[in-house]
Amino acid sequence: MTKKRKHTRAEQTLWVFAVLAVFLAVAVLNYNQKTSRRVNEEIHATLESYAQQQADHVRTVLSGQFDSLGAFASYLGQAGMEDTETFLNAADAIRQTQEFYRITMADLDGNGMTNEGIQRNIKNLKEFQAAVKGEQTISEPFISSIEDGYLCVLLAVPIKNPQGEITGVLCGSYTAEQFGTLFLHDNFERNDASVLINGQGDVIVASKDEEMVVGDKSLENIYEKTKNEAFLDGHSVEDMEQAAKNQEKLVSLIQEGEQEYYVTQTPFGYNGWTLLSAMKRGEVDSSYAFVRTYAARLNLAFAVSFLLGFLLIFYLFRTERKALRAQTQKLLEEKEKLEVSEERFRLLARDSDVLVFELNNLDHTLEFNENFEKILGIKPDYQSFLDGKWVYPDDVTAFSRILPQFSSKKGVMTRNIRFCNFAGVYIWFSVLTSIFADDRGRVVRILGKMMNIDENMREKEALRLRAETDSMTGLYNKMATEELVTHALRKYKGSVCALLIVDMDNLKRINDTLGHTQGDRAIVRFADALQRTFRSTDIVGRIGGDEFMVFLINVQSSHQLILILDAIVKKWDSLYTGEKDDYPVHGSIGAVMTNGSENFHELYRRADTALYKAKRSGKGGYALYAPETEEKE
């Protein structure tokens, strides 16, 4: 019987090493594949983010323009479309603030007038027809019928009367140059080409010779042009068309001649349009070259380690194992540093006028760029920054959510926060932070950038106030007053409040005797007297031509309410209008106190009942609601 040869220790060690080498080779190959796939995913995500930011920027601007047109349309619906002088004056003001080239008001038959007083009929415009149905629409570029050579883009919104009925259409138009400038923004100064197309692939806006051109019919259809180009990632022209049809995002890798491009499709949000952004592959891939370099170095380290291990495996096995562990830890630390450096570079490269900071949670240090001192005039330290020393008090909670003590994992967070500058003025910033954690989940660094959005936030607040304010008196309008009172009834349900309906006496006589100018003057003085009588926490609004509403919060007793009503009536003793201020102005008041169970409409009915009693008792006085004041059928 032949005896089986016993393997030597060297042979056993070699077999173990061979198995280990195969295992490591498979692991490195798997790592390379996953790294390549992750890099491609990051590239796609970055490109989609860039394109989405540009689309969001343009949509935000257009949304603001639609809001302005809507507010103007609401004003015209309240004032009446027949008042052309009001339209012409207000249209000029809107053009100066919102950069419209022309504004047109038209009735339901399409007969309209421009802000220059030009009469025209726009019934055949599909945007007009859509607006009549209650839609907000935007047109593709077309030649205006008013003057040759005027290539324009039209925005249209419906005009509604106080009953909510559509009575006409309000249009605002851009010139092609104005519309093109919406796509030019400092935040998007990259080496890419942007194209806005419709559902058929026709170009609406395109970057050409470092400028934005609009409505250039000579530009080739994007889908026809792309049919002659090679797709390197398995996509096709049909995929692009389908993504545009479904309003989905898509990133394609296309070769045109010797050059390769990443083409990103992003739904634009209007009319089924799509925004295309093309960037050279080399410029995009260069941002991730360090990852591939790292993988190549890792492969080289593996090969060297395999050779050294083959020569010294028996003698240095234990030592090499310990050294490899130390090397792996060092590589992980270097990788983390590379990630932090890459994130810092990305934040700095995208914007040159933003405030950038880095919080080191391990060393308790804070680093920031020179814009902190240049823009805010401050030099924060680590602890004062964490304490929110320069943060607006109402924003401290939101600010604390982006700090190390409240963050527990990697990710990106965005908050809108007000910071105080050296002059004591609070400025709105959009604060974006990237959070880095170690392998145990501890937050080690937070990188952040702060972008000034103060003008945009204040414009939004101004638009909101204009939508809620009565244009003549500066008080809340009817809709805003009713909403605020309804909200206050819920908020102060456990408190005693009071609702006042105040009606001016003899406004019709003032208008007939002294003229509408003096009538308007009387309304303004009457409203001013009301506003100065009450606290800033009370709600004062104009709900009709000569009718006002006041909601008093936390009224202690009916005696206190009577004192307040006496004070109002007394103020009317010194209120006059007319050329010589010799015509008295006063009103009548109906008041009701809450008991915690009424809704707005019931409370209004009771106050109106009390007002009726006050007017029957003689003008210039007031009456409090009581159940016995109800008239019996």
Side-chain angles (χ1 to χ4, degrees):
M1 188 174 182
T2 305
K3 187 176 181 180
K4 204 172 196 179
R5 186 175 71 86
K6 186 177 181 180
H7 292 289
T8 66
R9 176 176 289 185
E11 289 176 334
Q12 293 175 348
T13 303
L14 183 60
W15 277 109
V16 171
F17 180 77
V19 172
L20 180 61
V22 171
F23 174 80
L24 290 176
V26 172
V28 170
L29 179 62
N30 182 60
Y31 171 80
N32 290 338
Q33 291 175 343
K34 287 186 176 180
T35 299
S36 178
R37 183 166 59 250
R38 181 60 184 273
V39 167
N40 288 333
E41 291 173 354
E42 288 294 326
I43 289 173
H44 282 213
T46 300
L47 292 173
E48 289 176 355
S49 176
Y50 285 164
Q52 188 66 52
Q53 288 177 44
Q54 187 167 5
D56 288 345
H57 163 70
V58 181
R59 282 200 298 267
T60 297
V61 176
L62 288 177
S63 176
Q65 302 293 66
F66 271 122
D67 288 345
S68 297
L69 279 180
F72 189 19
S74 176
Y75 173 74
L76 292 175
Q78 296 285 339
M81 294 175 57
E82 62 277 5
D83 190 353
T84 58
E85 182 177 354
T86 297
F87 163 73
L88 293 175
N89 291 335
D92 283 339
I94 292 294
R95 285 181 63 246
Q96 292 175 10
T97 57
Q98 300 301 325
E99 297 182 355
F100 286 113
Y101 181 78
R102 174 173 287 120
I103 295 180
T104 303
M105 175 181 68
D107 60 23
L108 295 179
D109 294 325
N111 298 317
M113 172 189 291
T114 71
N115 56 279
E116 301 105 333
I118 301 174
Q119 303 290 331
R120 61 182 303 200
N121 189 288
I122 60 173
K123 187 174 184 178
N124 293 330
L125 292 178
K126 64 180 181 180
E127 290 74 28
F128 169 85
Q129 297 167 6
V132 169
K133 297 177 183 179
E135 301 175 6
Q136 291 184 342
T137 59
I138 180 172
S139 75
E140 294 188 12
F142 68 95
I143 300 297
S144 172
S145 61
I146 294 182
E147 55 185 299
D148 294 336
Y150 167 38
L151 184 64
C152 67
V153 176
L154 188 74
L155 278 65
V157 299
I159 300 174
K160 298 181 181 179
N161 63 17
Q163 289 75 40
E165 301 168 340
I166 296 176
T167 58
V169 172
L170 183 65
C171 301
S173 63
Y174 298 105
T175 64
E177 293 77 12
Q178 289 173 320
F179 189 67
T181 58
L182 297 181
F183 293 81
L184 298 174
H185 194 268
D186 292 340
N187 290 344
F188 311 117
E189 290 183 355
R190 303 183 303 274
N191 296 324
D192 59 344
S194 299
V195 181
L196 182 65
I197 63 173
N198 61 18
Q200 293 73 45
D202 298 322
V203 176
I204 299 171
V205 180
S207 58
K208 183 178 180 183
D209 298 329
E210 300 183 353
E211 294 182 355
M212 285 291 176
V213 296
V214 180
D216 188 349
K217 301 299 183 182
S218 67
L219 295 176
E220 187 177 359
N221 181 281
I222 290 297
Y223 299 142
E224 292 298 325
K225 181 178 184 300
T226 311
K227 285 182 179 178
N228 302 322
E229 299 171 355
F231 286 78
L232 305 180
D233 57 355
H235 288 152
S236 64
V237 175
E238 290 73 21
D239 293 334
M240 294 179 66
E241 293 183 43
Q242 190 64 37
K245 180 180 179 181
N246 297 336
Q247 288 291 278
E248 298 173 343
K249 295 180 179 180
L250 180 68
V251 178
S252 303
L253 183 58
I254 300 176
Q255 183 173 6
E256 181 182 13
E258 298 296 324
Q259 191 61 257
E260 296 176 3
Y261 296 89
Y262 284 106
V263 178
T264 307
Q265 294 180 226
T266 304
F268 188 67
Y270 292 98
N271 300 345
W273 294 349
T274 298
L275 181 65
L276 301 182
S277 179
M279 294 186 70
K280 293 180 181 179
R281 181 179 185 179
E283 295 176 356
V284 177
D285 288 356
S286 64
S287 299
Y288 298 89
F290 77 96
V291 178
R292 296 186 174 90
T293 300
Y294 178 77
R297 290 177 179 175
L298 186 62
N299 293 337
L300 180 61
F302 167 73
V304 173
S305 299
F306 176 82
L307 180 60
L308 294 175
F310 182 79
L311 297 174
L312 305 173
I313 188 66
F314 181 75
Y315 301 100
L316 303 176
F317 179 80
R318 294 178 181 270
T319 305
E320 280 296 312
R321 184 179 181 185
K322 185 177 180 180
L324 285 174
R325 286 181 175 177
Q327 184 182 9
T328 301
Q329 181 63 32
K330 182 178 180 180
L331 289 173
L332 289 174
E333 292 174 356
E334 290 177 354
K335 182 181 178 182
E336 180 183 299
K337 291 179 180 178
L338 285 173
E339 289 177 346
V340 173
S341 298
E342 172 62 19
E343 183 68 6
R344 183 189 291 118
F345 172 79
R346 184 180 68 82
L347 289 171
L348 290 172
R350 284 176 54 189
D351 301 291
S352 59
D353 59 344
V354 299
L355 286 69
V356 179
F357 64 87
E358 177 182 346
L359 280 168
N360 188 317
N361 199 35
L362 298 179
D363 301 333
H364 290 182
T365 58
L366 169 68
E367 296 180 10
F368 48 87
N369 66 347
E370 62 182 7
N371 283 344
F372 258 90
E373 186 173 4
K374 183 173 73 174
I375 296 175
L376 288 178
I378 61 176
K379 290 184 176 181
D381 56 44
Y382 178 85
Q383 192 57 50
S384 64
F385 192 81
L386 291 185
D387 294 340
K389 180 179 178 181
W390 291 276
V391 176
Y392 189 74
D394 291 346
D395 298 340
V396 170
T397 299
F399 175 72
S400 66
R401 298 300 178 189
I402 67 175
L403 299 178
Q405 58 265 42
F406 293 100
S407 305
S408 59
K409 59 183 179 180
K410 290 185 177 182
V412 176
M413 299 179 66
T414 302
R415 294 286 188 274
N416 292 337
I417 297 170
R418 285 163 286 187
F419 286 81
C420 184
N421 66 11
F422 68 97
V425 177
Y426 285 96
I427 302 173
W428 279 102
F429 286 89
S430 175
V431 183
L432 181 147
T433 57
S434 293
I435 302 168
F436 296 87
D438 59 17
D439 54 357
R440 288 181 289 178
R442 295 180 307 171
V443 174
V444 293
R445 286 184 179 87
I446 293 183
L447 292 179
K449 76 166 188 176
M450 296 165 51
M451 185 168 62
N452 191 326
I453 58 170
D454 191 73
E455 183 177 353
N456 187 37
M457 295 293 287
R458 295 188 187 281
E459 286 177 355
K460 288 182 179 180
E461 179 65 16
L463 287 174
R464 184 188 66 79
L465 289 176
R466 284 200 293 270
E468 295 179 351
T469 304
D470 174 62
S471 59
M472 178 182 291
T473 63
L475 303 178
Y476 290 117
N477 58 28
K478 181 180 180 181
M479 182 180 298
T481 303
E482 292 183 3
E483 290 178 354
L484 290 171
V485 172
T486 301
H487 175 74
L489 285 171
R490 292 194 297 267
K491 182 176 180 180
Y492 299 99
K493 191 172 183 179
S495 303
V496 178
C497 302
L499 182 70
L500 280 57
I501 303 298
V502 186
D503 191 69
M504 283 184 64
D505 296 332
N506 304 324
L507 178 60
K508 184 176 185 305
R509 182 182 300 174
I510 294 174
N511 286 332
D512 294 342
T513 305
L514 305 178
H516 286 274
T517 298
Q518 292 299 327
D520 290 347
R521 184 184 181 200
I523 292 174
V524 171
R525 289 191 169 185
F526 192 85
D528 182 62
L530 283 177
Q531 191 171 35
R532 287 187 288 105
T533 301
F534 299 101
R535 302 164 296 184
S536 60
T537 54
D538 296 329
I539 301 169
V540 184
R542 183 187 180 200
I543 60 174
D546 58 355
E547 193 172 25
F548 299 80
M549 180 183 293
V550 181
F551 188 79
L552 302 177
I553 298 171
N554 292 330
V555 179
Q556 301 301 320
S557 63
S558 58
H559 176 70
Q560 182 189 13
L561 179 58
I562 291 174
L563 292 177
I564 294 172
L565 295 175
D566 286 334
I568 300 172
V569 173
K570 186 175 181 180
K571 278 194 175 184
W572 289 339
D573 292 340
S574 58
L575 199 60
Y576 293 88
T577 190
E579 294 292 338
K580 299 181 179 180
D581 286 336
D582 55 355
Y583 200 99
V585 177
H586 50 77
S588 301
I589 307 173
V592 60
M593 298 180 69
T594 64
N595 58 26
S597 62
E598 309 93 332
N599 57 35
F600 171 80
H601 297 289
E602 177 60 20
L603 203 62
Y604 180 90
R605 187 191 66 79
R606 294 178 181 179
D608 194 56
T609 300
L611 175 63
Y612 180 72
K613 178 183 177 183
K615 283 188 171 290
R616 284 190 306 174
S617 301
K619 298 179 179 181
Y622 62 85
L624 269 64
Y625 172 83
E628 56 267 26
T629 62
E630 297 278 358
E631 292 187 358
K632 298 181 180 180
E633 298 291 338

